[in-house]
mmCIF file of all heavy atoms in Angstrom:
data_model
loop_
_atom_site.group_PDB
_atom_site.id
_atom_site.type_symbol
_atom_site.label_atom_id
_atom_site.label_comp_id
_atom_site.label_asym_id
_atom_site.label_seq_id
_atom_site.Cartn_x
_atom_site.Cartn_y
_atom_site.Cartn_z
ATOM 1 N N MET U 1185 93.725 20.260 124.205
ATOM 2 C CA MET U 1185 93.788 19.460 125.371
ATOM 3 C C MET U 1185 92.475 18.646 125.528
ATOM 4 O O MET U 1185 91.341 19.377 125.443
ATOM 5 C CB MET U 1185 94.036 20.306 126.648
ATOM 6 C CG MET U 1185 94.424 19.524 127.855
ATOM 7 S SD MET U 1185 95.299 20.446 129.065
ATOM 8 C CE MET U 1185 94.032 21.814 129.570
ATOM 9 N N LEU U 1201 86.591 20.529 135.935
ATOM 10 C CA LEU U 1201 87.729 21.078 135.180
ATOM 11 C C LEU U 1201 88.993 20.985 136.103
ATOM 12 O O LEU U 1201 90.044 20.613 135.739
ATOM 13 C CB LEU U 1201 87.366 22.369 134.573
ATOM 14 C CG LEU U 1201 88.467 23.093 133.717
ATOM 15 C CD1 LEU U 1201 88.746 22.218 132.527
ATOM 16 C CD2 LEU U 1201 87.906 24.361 133.239
ATOM 17 N N ILE U 1205 92.368 18.935 135.232
ATOM 18 C CA ILE U 1205 93.760 19.526 134.969
ATOM 19 C C ILE U 1205 94.794 19.047 136.096
ATOM 20 O O ILE U 1205 95.888 18.666 135.728
ATOM 21 C CB ILE U 1205 93.669 21.054 134.912
ATOM 22 C CG1 ILE U 1205 92.822 21.505 133.786
ATOM 23 C CG2 ILE U 1205 95.053 21.633 134.770
ATOM 24 C CD1 ILE U 1205 92.533 22.923 133.607
ATOM 25 N N ARG U 1219 102.936 24.826 128.316
ATOM 26 C CA ARG U 1219 101.990 25.786 128.313
ATOM 27 C C ARG U 1219 100.470 25.264 128.163
ATOM 28 O O ARG U 1219 100.334 24.286 127.430
ATOM 29 C CB ARG U 1219 102.255 26.829 127.039
ATOM 30 C CG ARG U 1219 101.076 27.854 126.846
ATOM 31 C CD ARG U 1219 101.554 28.866 125.759
ATOM 32 N NE ARG U 1219 102.171 30.061 126.308
ATOM 33 C CZ ARG U 1219 103.376 30.198 126.643
ATOM 34 N NH1 ARG U 1219 104.290 29.301 126.456
ATOM 35 N NH2 ARG U 1219 103.846 31.455 127.257
ATOM 36 N N LEU U 1220 99.627 25.851 128.892
ATOM 37 C CA LEU U 1220 98.194 25.360 128.768
ATOM 38 C C LEU U 1220 97.571 26.216 127.825
ATOM 39 O O LEU U 1220 98.001 27.319 127.469
ATOM 40 C CB LEU U 1220 97.481 25.537 130.173
ATOM 41 C CG LEU U 1220 97.357 24.376 131.078
ATOM 42 C CD1 LEU U 1220 98.780 23.747 131.371
ATOM 43 C CD2 LEU U 1220 96.667 24.620 132.348
ATOM 44 N N PRO U 1221 96.409 25.696 127.178
ATOM 45 C CA PRO U 1221 95.677 26.481 126.165
ATOM 46 C C PRO U 1221 95.174 27.833 126.843
ATOM 47 O O PRO U 1221 94.990 27.882 128.102
ATOM 48 C CB PRO U 1221 94.531 25.679 125.691
ATOM 49 C CG PRO U 1221 94.527 24.434 126.655
ATOM 50 C CD PRO U 1221 95.842 24.363 127.339
ATOM 51 N N SER U 1222 95.079 28.879 126.108
ATOM 52 C CA SER U 1222 94.585 30.138 126.746
ATOM 53 C C SER U 1222 93.161 29.960 127.255
ATOM 54 O O SER U 1222 92.445 28.996 126.717
ATOM 55 C CB SER U 1222 94.568 31.257 125.687
ATOM 56 O OG SER U 1222 93.483 30.996 124.826
ATOM 57 N N SER U 1223 92.702 30.719 128.209
ATOM 58 C CA SER U 1223 91.382 30.563 128.670
ATOM 59 C C SER U 1223 90.342 30.670 127.671
ATOM 60 O O SER U 1223 89.373 29.892 127.667
ATOM 61 C CB SER U 1223 91.118 31.580 129.868
ATOM 62 O OG SER U 1223 91.385 32.930 129.293
ATOM 63 N N ARG U 1224 90.540 31.575 126.673
ATOM 64 C CA ARG U 1224 89.682 31.746 125.626
ATOM 65 C C ARG U 1224 89.487 30.450 124.772
ATOM 66 O O ARG U 1224 88.417 29.853 124.564
ATOM 67 C CB ARG U 1224 90.064 32.942 124.728
ATOM 68 C CG ARG U 1224 89.040 33.160 123.503
ATOM 69 C CD ARG U 1224 89.357 34.353 122.766
ATOM 70 N NE ARG U 1224 89.020 35.594 123.389
ATOM 71 C CZ ARG U 1224 89.852 36.359 124.104
ATOM 72 N NH1 ARG U 1224 91.119 36.060 124.217
ATOM 73 N NH2 ARG U 1224 89.529 37.601 124.607
ATOM 74 N N THR U 1225 90.681 29.977 124.363
ATOM 75 C CA THR U 1225 90.687 28.648 123.514
ATOM 76 C C THR U 1225 90.006 27.485 124.321
ATOM 77 O O THR U 1225 89.072 26.997 123.791
ATOM 78 C CB THR U 1225 92.169 28.299 123.322
ATOM 79 O OG1 THR U 1225 92.922 29.387 122.809
ATOM 80 C CG2 THR U 1225 92.202 27.158 122.188
ATOM 81 N N LEU U 1226 90.376 27.319 125.500
ATOM 82 C CA LEU U 1226 89.869 26.276 126.315
ATOM 83 C C LEU U 1226 88.362 26.304 126.503
ATOM 84 O O LEU U 1226 87.566 25.387 126.338
ATOM 85 C CB LEU U 1226 90.580 26.039 127.574
ATOM 86 C CG LEU U 1226 90.203 24.731 128.343
ATOM 87 C CD1 LEU U 1226 90.677 23.522 127.413
ATOM 88 C CD2 LEU U 1226 91.045 24.674 129.624
ATOM 89 N N SER U 1227 87.955 27.598 126.868
ATOM 90 C CA SER U 1227 86.514 27.722 127.167
ATOM 91 C C SER U 1227 85.686 27.423 125.776
ATOM 92 O O SER U 1227 84.712 26.796 125.821
ATOM 93 C CB SER U 1227 86.215 29.214 127.595
ATOM 94 O OG SER U 1227 86.530 30.107 126.559
ATOM 95 N N LYS U 1228 86.218 27.836 124.737
ATOM 96 C CA LYS U 1228 85.578 27.621 123.465
ATOM 97 C C LYS U 1228 85.517 26.073 123.266
ATOM 98 O O LYS U 1228 84.471 25.430 122.863
ATOM 99 C CB LYS U 1228 86.265 28.270 122.329
ATOM 100 C CG LYS U 1228 85.573 29.629 121.870
ATOM 101 C CD LYS U 1228 86.318 30.465 120.852
ATOM 102 C CE LYS U 1228 86.256 29.934 119.483
ATOM 103 N NZ LYS U 1228 87.167 30.705 118.590
ATOM 104 N N GLN U 1229 86.751 25.536 123.425
ATOM 105 C CA GLN U 1229 86.832 24.067 123.071
ATOM 106 C C GLN U 1229 85.883 23.218 123.970
ATOM 107 O O GLN U 1229 85.264 22.229 123.428
ATOM 108 C CB GLN U 1229 88.341 23.658 123.229
ATOM 109 C CG GLN U 1229 88.667 22.360 122.704
ATOM 110 C CD GLN U 1229 89.941 21.763 123.274
ATOM 111 O OE1 GLN U 1229 89.898 21.224 124.384
ATOM 112 N NE2 GLN U 1229 90.973 21.793 122.519
ATOM 113 N N LEU U 1230 85.803 23.554 125.191
ATOM 114 C CA LEU U 1230 84.956 22.762 126.170
ATOM 115 C C LEU U 1230 83.564 23.330 126.227
ATOM 116 O O LEU U 1230 82.687 22.765 126.921
ATOM 117 C CB LEU U 1230 85.619 22.794 127.554
ATOM 118 C CG LEU U 1230 87.010 22.280 127.619
ATOM 119 C CD1 LEU U 1230 87.563 22.415 128.944
ATOM 120 C CD2 LEU U 1230 87.191 20.918 127.009
ATOM 121 N N CYS U 1231 83.231 24.479 125.610
ATOM 122 C CA CYS U 1231 81.889 24.982 125.732
ATOM 123 C C CYS U 1231 81.544 25.352 127.176
ATOM 124 O O CYS U 1231 80.421 25.032 127.611
ATOM 125 C CB CYS U 1231 80.878 24.097 125.013
ATOM 126 S SG CYS U 1231 81.086 23.835 123.340
ATOM 127 N N VAL U 1232 82.447 25.872 127.879
ATOM 128 C CA VAL U 1232 82.107 26.457 129.217
ATOM 129 C C VAL U 1232 82.420 27.928 129.218
ATOM 130 O O VAL U 1232 83.273 28.399 128.345
ATOM 131 C CB VAL U 1232 82.990 25.776 130.251
ATOM 132 C CG1 VAL U 1232 82.553 24.311 130.297
ATOM 133 C CG2 VAL U 1232 84.408 25.900 130.164
ATOM 134 N N SER U 1233 81.827 28.705 130.103
ATOM 135 C CA SER U 1233 82.157 30.138 130.115
ATOM 136 C C SER U 1233 83.659 30.383 130.418
ATOM 137 O O SER U 1233 84.290 29.636 131.014
ATOM 138 C CB SER U 1233 81.383 30.807 131.214
ATOM 139 O OG SER U 1233 82.075 30.668 132.468
ATOM 140 N N ARG U 1234 84.121 31.446 129.786
ATOM 141 C CA ARG U 1234 85.516 31.762 129.991
ATOM 142 C C ARG U 1234 85.839 32.022 131.449
ATOM 143 O O ARG U 1234 86.867 31.673 131.915
ATOM 144 C CB ARG U 1234 85.920 32.995 129.143
ATOM 145 C CG ARG U 1234 87.442 33.227 129.166
ATOM 146 C CD ARG U 1234 87.922 34.256 128.040
ATOM 147 N NE ARG U 1234 89.280 34.594 128.235
ATOM 148 C CZ ARG U 1234 89.788 35.800 128.075
ATOM 149 N NH1 ARG U 1234 88.965 36.756 127.656
ATOM 150 N NH2 ARG U 1234 91.070 36.051 128.367
ATOM 151 N N ASN U 1235 84.903 32.618 132.238
ATOM 152 C CA ASN U 1235 85.131 32.824 133.618
ATOM 153 C C ASN U 1235 85.314 31.526 134.317
ATOM 154 O O ASN U 1235 86.254 31.472 135.178
ATOM 155 C CB ASN U 1235 83.996 33.534 134.196
ATOM 156 C CG ASN U 1235 84.042 35.052 134.135
ATOM 157 O OD1 ASN U 1235 85.265 35.542 134.091
ATOM 158 N ND2 ASN U 1235 83.069 35.724 133.954
ATOM 159 N N THR U 1236 84.668 30.544 134.011
ATOM 160 C CA THR U 1236 84.852 29.166 134.683
ATOM 161 C C THR U 1236 86.279 28.892 134.515
ATOM 162 O O THR U 1236 87.029 28.484 135.554
ATOM 163 C CB THR U 1236 84.027 28.183 134.028
ATOM 164 O OG1 THR U 1236 82.651 28.636 133.961
ATOM 165 C CG2 THR U 1236 84.132 26.823 134.867
ATOM 166 N N VAL U 1237 86.862 28.820 133.220
ATOM 167 C CA VAL U 1237 88.259 28.507 133.054
ATOM 168 C C VAL U 1237 89.148 29.359 133.797
ATOM 169 O O VAL U 1237 90.068 28.939 134.442
ATOM 170 C CB VAL U 1237 88.576 28.575 131.505
ATOM 171 C CG1 VAL U 1237 90.055 28.200 131.284
ATOM 172 C CG2 VAL U 1237 87.591 27.774 130.701
ATOM 173 N N LEU U 1238 88.958 30.645 133.765
ATOM 174 C CA LEU U 1238 89.842 31.685 134.500
ATOM 175 C C LEU U 1238 89.805 31.399 135.910
ATOM 176 O O LEU U 1238 90.968 31.368 136.541
ATOM 177 C CB LEU U 1238 89.287 32.994 134.192
ATOM 178 C CG LEU U 1238 89.739 33.728 132.851
ATOM 179 C CD1 LEU U 1238 88.969 35.012 132.616
ATOM 180 C CD2 LEU U 1238 91.249 33.846 132.746
ATOM 181 N N GLU U 1239 88.716 31.072 136.501
ATOM 182 C CA GLU U 1239 88.624 30.837 137.950
ATOM 183 C C GLU U 1239 89.414 29.561 138.346
ATOM 184 O O GLU U 1239 90.196 29.541 139.239
ATOM 185 C CB GLU U 1239 87.168 30.624 138.400
ATOM 186 C CG GLU U 1239 86.453 32.046 138.469
ATOM 187 C CD GLU U 1239 84.989 31.837 138.781
ATOM 188 O OE1 GLU U 1239 84.676 30.879 139.451
ATOM 189 O OE2 GLU U 1239 84.179 32.680 138.324
ATOM 190 N N VAL U 1240 89.208 28.541 137.451
ATOM 191 C CA VAL U 1240 90.004 27.321 137.724
ATOM 192 C C VAL U 1240 91.469 27.486 137.586
ATOM 193 O O VAL U 1240 92.237 27.184 138.398
ATOM 194 C CB VAL U 1240 89.581 26.206 136.648
ATOM 195 C CG1 VAL U 1240 90.400 24.990 136.735
ATOM 196 C CG2 VAL U 1240 88.094 25.832 136.889
ATOM 197 N N TYR U 1241 91.873 28.262 136.466
ATOM 198 C CA TYR U 1241 93.407 28.562 136.383
ATOM 199 C C TYR U 1241 93.856 29.390 137.659
ATOM 200 O O TYR U 1241 94.958 28.998 138.077
ATOM 201 C CB TYR U 1241 93.476 29.460 135.095
ATOM 202 C CG TYR U 1241 93.670 28.631 133.811
ATOM 203 C CD1 TYR U 1241 93.234 27.304 133.747
ATOM 204 C CD2 TYR U 1241 94.126 29.179 132.586
ATOM 205 C CE1 TYR U 1241 93.378 26.585 132.611
ATOM 206 C CE2 TYR U 1241 94.279 28.502 131.451
ATOM 207 C CZ TYR U 1241 93.817 27.200 131.395
ATOM 208 O OH TYR U 1241 93.885 26.532 130.255
ATOM 209 N N GLU U 1242 93.124 30.274 138.003
ATOM 210 C CA GLU U 1242 93.572 31.025 139.265
ATOM 211 C C GLU U 1242 93.636 30.128 140.451
ATOM 212 O O GLU U 1242 94.599 30.216 141.229
ATOM 213 C CB GLU U 1242 92.551 32.229 139.519
ATOM 214 C CG GLU U 1242 92.800 33.481 138.627
ATOM 215 C CD GLU U 1242 91.633 34.401 138.574
ATOM 216 O OE1 GLU U 1242 90.656 34.180 139.363
ATOM 217 O OE2 GLU U 1242 91.532 35.154 137.567
ATOM 218 N N LEU U 1250 100.042 26.069 138.759
ATOM 219 C CA LEU U 1250 100.323 26.800 137.515
ATOM 220 C C LEU U 1250 101.008 28.056 137.893
ATOM 221 O O LEU U 1250 101.064 28.605 138.950
ATOM 222 C CB LEU U 1250 98.885 27.198 136.863
ATOM 223 C CG LEU U 1250 98.089 25.922 136.484
ATOM 224 C CD1 LEU U 1250 96.785 26.487 135.874
ATOM 225 C CD2 LEU U 1250 98.731 25.043 135.505
ATOM 226 N N GLU U 1253 100.816 34.968 134.328
ATOM 227 C CA GLU U 1253 99.724 35.996 134.419
ATOM 228 C C GLU U 1253 98.605 35.648 133.347
ATOM 229 O O GLU U 1253 98.996 35.131 132.278
ATOM 230 C CB GLU U 1253 100.273 37.384 134.292
ATOM 231 C CG GLU U 1253 101.393 37.705 135.399
ATOM 232 C CD GLU U 1253 100.822 37.576 136.693
ATOM 233 O OE1 GLU U 1253 99.783 38.058 137.053
ATOM 234 O OE2 GLU U 1253 101.401 36.738 137.516
ATOM 235 N N ARG U 1254 97.480 36.134 133.546
ATOM 236 C CA ARG U 1254 96.462 36.253 132.474
ATOM 237 C C ARG U 1254 97.180 36.827 131.204
ATOM 238 O O ARG U 1254 97.959 37.765 131.250
ATOM 239 C CB ARG U 1254 95.344 37.159 132.833
ATOM 240 C CG ARG U 1254 94.412 36.668 133.889
ATOM 241 C CD ARG U 1254 93.176 37.485 133.884
ATOM 242 N NE ARG U 1254 92.331 37.134 135.125
ATOM 243 C CZ ARG U 1254 91.017 37.660 135.190
ATOM 244 N NH1 ARG U 1254 90.546 38.474 134.337
ATOM 245 N NH2 ARG U 1254 90.364 37.215 136.282
ATOM 246 N N GLY U 1255 96.705 36.361 130.090
ATOM 247 C CA GLY U 1255 97.196 36.973 128.868
ATOM 248 C C GLY U 1255 98.573 36.314 128.460
ATOM 249 O O GLY U 1255 98.753 35.740 127.522
ATOM 250 N N SER U 1256 99.556 36.542 129.417
ATOM 251 C CA SER U 1256 100.892 36.192 129.065
ATOM 252 C C SER U 1256 101.088 34.685 129.016
ATOM 253 O O SER U 1256 102.142 34.119 128.820
ATOM 254 C CB SER U 1256 101.863 36.758 130.048
ATOM 255 O OG SER U 1256 101.757 35.899 131.343
ATOM 256 N N GLY U 1257 99.970 33.875 129.210
ATOM 257 C CA GLY U 1257 99.983 32.475 129.037
ATOM 258 C C GLY U 1257 100.296 31.817 130.331
ATOM 259 O O GLY U 1257 101.054 32.264 131.217
ATOM 260 N N THR U 1258 99.659 30.695 130.502
ATOM 261 C CA THR U 1258 99.708 29.948 131.768
ATOM 262 C C THR U 1258 100.480 28.630 131.578
ATOM 263 O O THR U 1258 100.238 27.833 130.615
ATOM 264 C CB THR U 1258 98.255 29.560 132.287
ATOM 265 O OG1 THR U 1258 97.476 30.749 132.143
ATOM 266 C CG2 THR U 1258 98.346 29.084 133.723
ATOM 267 N N VAL U 1259 101.558 28.402 132.463
ATOM 268 C CA VAL U 1259 102.405 27.195 132.303
ATOM 269 C C VAL U 1259 102.252 26.394 133.531
ATOM 270 O O VAL U 1259 101.991 26.954 134.663
ATOM 271 C CB VAL U 1259 103.917 27.508 131.984
ATOM 272 C CG1 VAL U 1259 103.937 28.312 130.681
ATOM 273 C CG2 VAL U 1259 104.453 28.246 133.073
#
Side-chain angles (χ1 to χ4, degrees):
Chain U
M1185 189 160 66
L1201 185 57
I1205 298 179
R1219 171 174 265 89
L1220 263 60
S1222 76
S1223 54
R1224 179 175 282 99
T1225 312
L1226 192 59
S1227 67
K1228 263 172 76 183
Q1229 192 197 78
L1230 305 177
C1231 300
V1232 298
S1233 83
R1234 188 167 169 216
N1235 272 329
T1236 313
V1237 179
L1238 280 171
E1239 289 171 26
V1240 170
Y1241 276 14
E1242 275 156 18
L1250 301 179
E1253 302 303 308
R1254 285 192 190 189
S1256 77
T1258 315
V1259 300

